[in-house]
Amino acid sequence: MRHTCGDSSLNGLFRSRRAITELWINTSDLDCGKPQDKYGVIGLDRPALPSFVLRELKGSCEIMSKRPNIRAGVVSPSTSSILGADDDAASGSIGDQNHIRLGIAPLVANPSLRDLAYDAIKNAITGMDIYGSPEEFRLDERQLSQDLGVSRTPIREALTILEQEGFVRTVPRRGVFVVRLSKQQIIERITVWAALESMAAYLAADRASARELRMLRKLFEEFERAPDSEHMHEYSEANINFHQTIIRLGDCQLLAEMSANLLIHVRAIRNVSLRQDNRAERSLSEHMQIIDALEARNGELAAQLVRQHTLGLAAHVDKHGLFS
């Protein structure tokens, strides 16, 4: 015979003895020896329960009353026989009287093809020399599909996300292009980066370990003097790594997330600027001063030097940048 209840959520809740058992355990006011209200629990104003639920509740109360180790809100090891073998397997072993350990396996990461395509395309754009040439960079959806070995659907989905984030733009009847910012937009992003990285340097002076700071200095060991044209690419990579490392050593997740999407354009501009007006030589000297301040645990000075260094890049772009 099918029983119905006016409250459908209650009807689902009390379908098993385990649910009723848990209701009894977690209700400190329930007294099996005294008349209860129509819900079966003192102090709760709910509709009357169907008779089959009341019978189950009564039977559970009789079993529970014989278990001295059961208290409201606490499940002791002896309760496992009441819950049943299936419930034991689902719940896992009980560590103590205040909590249980669930018998669950670690989650296995299963990123979608869209996410994988998004990461691959974004990483490729990050490594591009966007401002090293006046030409626009158009992305071929079909070629991307072939290169990544997936259909065009996840490619389109990934490009949609990248467009929402401001990394690419769609031009009707022409295709998808990597975004190139105007000079003013670039200067604004460098200014924001200066604020974020200077705060990271301030935090890193206190939070970074001596070993981490030694690794920061090691980035430039092979560049005792300004790099020549043959080694400019290597120095450019060390330069970007230096600034990313300062952000990381600040040990502030939100700060790192805020700076992540600025990196694509700041990185590309740094790569171009190092080849202009002897900036590589000045950059190396300024990096060493920043490292000295960090090793001295002088957060105020480190933050000031980082801010001046990055705002110097903004001034350089304003003077030498050939952008619209």
Side-chain angles (χ1 to χ4, degrees):
M1 178 177 179
R2 183 176 180 180
H3 300 271
T4 60
C5 180
D7 188 338
S8 60
S9 63
L10 290 176
N11 188 33
L13 178 63
F14 293 113
R15 285 179 180 174
S16 68
R17 174 165 292 189
R18 187 177 190 278
I20 300 169
T21 301
E22 290 177 342
L23 173 66
W24 192 91
I25 292 172
N26 292 310
T27 307
S28 59
D29 291 330
L30 186 60
D31 186 345
C32 296
K34 297 179 181 179
Q36 308 297 320
D37 62 9
K38 59 185 178 180
Y39 183 63
V41 180
I42 295 175
L44 296 180
D45 185 15
R46 299 289 180 89
L49 295 175
S51 59
F52 83 103
V53 173
L54 295 177
R55 287 198 301 271
E56 288 290 325
L57 182 58
K58 179 180 179 182
S60 297
C61 289
E62 290 173 352
I63 294 174
M64 297 293 181
S65 63
K66 299 176 183 180
R67 299 285 181 172
N69 292 328
I70 299 179
R71 303 191 307 274
V74 178
V75 182
S76 67
S78 61
T79 314
S80 60
S81 61
I82 301 174
L83 299 181
D86 291 341
D87 291 319
D88 272 345
S91 300
S93 59
I94 299 178
D96 55 37
Q97 291 187 328
N98 293 322
H99 67 278
I100 62 174
R101 181 175 179 179
L102 299 178
I104 56 178
L107 296 176
V108 178
N110 185 25
S112 66
L113 290 177
R114 181 202 65 186
D115 294 337
L116 293 173
Y118 167 85
D119 290 338
I121 297 172
K122 186 174 181 179
N123 288 337
I125 294 175
T126 301
M128 292 172 61
D129 190 0
I130 301 174
Y131 299 100
S133 168
E135 298 179 2
E136 291 185 312
F137 294 91
R138 187 174 75 86
L139 302 180
D140 187 330
E141 187 179 289
R142 182 183 305 171
Q143 188 63 51
L144 287 171
S145 174
Q146 294 176 357
D147 291 343
L148 294 177
V150 298
S151 69
R152 297 172 70 171
T153 298
I155 300 297
R156 293 192 188 101
E157 294 173 346
L159 291 175
T160 298
I161 298 174
L162 289 168
E163 184 166 18
Q164 292 171 350
E165 294 179 346
F167 298 124
V168 300
R169 60 187 177 89
T170 301
V171 179
R173 295 183 295 278
R174 289 190 60 198
V176 180
F177 294 84
V178 176
V179 167
R180 288 167 54 93
L181 303 177
S182 68
K183 177 188 289 188
Q184 184 57 38
Q185 290 173 321
I186 292 170
I187 292 174
E188 288 177 355
R189 280 159 176 76
I190 295 173
T191 301
V192 174
W193 180 278
L196 295 174
E197 189 181 1
S198 62
M199 175 54 69
Y202 178 83
L203 297 173
D206 178 62
R207 299 178 178 181
S209 67
R211 179 180 177 277
E212 288 173 324
L213 294 180
R214 286 195 300 270
M215 295 300 294
L216 191 63
R217 184 178 290 278
K218 193 174 181 179
L219 289 173
F220 301 104
E221 280 186 350
E222 60 181 293
F223 305 105
E224 295 181 359
R225 57 181 61 88
D228 53 33
S229 57
E230 293 182 1
H231 298 89
M232 188 59 69
H233 175 74
E234 290 81 356
Y235 180 77
S236 178
E237 290 301 310
N239 175 50
I240 294 299
N241 196 359
F242 173 80
H243 292 285
Q244 287 180 295
T245 301
I246 289 180
I247 294 289
R248 179 176 59 81
L249 294 182
D251 193 24
C252 177
Q253 181 64 32
L254 180 58
L255 191 152
E257 291 173 358
M258 293 174 65
S259 63
N261 286 342
L262 294 172
L263 178 62
I264 288 181
H265 296 284
V266 173
R267 175 179 186 143
I269 291 301
R270 286 190 185 278
N271 289 341
V272 174
S273 67
L274 288 174
R275 303 182 182 93
Q276 301 171 337
D277 195 29
N278 297 321
R279 181 159 178 80
E281 182 176 357
R282 295 198 307 274
S283 170
L284 181 60
S285 174
E286 291 168 0
H287 287 166
M288 294 300 103
Q289 294 175 32
I290 292 170
I291 295 173
D292 289 341
L294 290 171
E295 291 177 336
R297 304 296 178 178
N298 189 334
E300 294 285 354
L301 179 59
Q304 178 184 345
L305 291 172
V306 166
R307 185 165 52 251
Q308 291 175 349
H309 173 71
T310 305
L311 290 178
L313 174 62
H316 178 90
V317 170
D318 190 34
K319 181 178 180 181
H320 298 281
L322 301 177
F323 312 110
S324 58

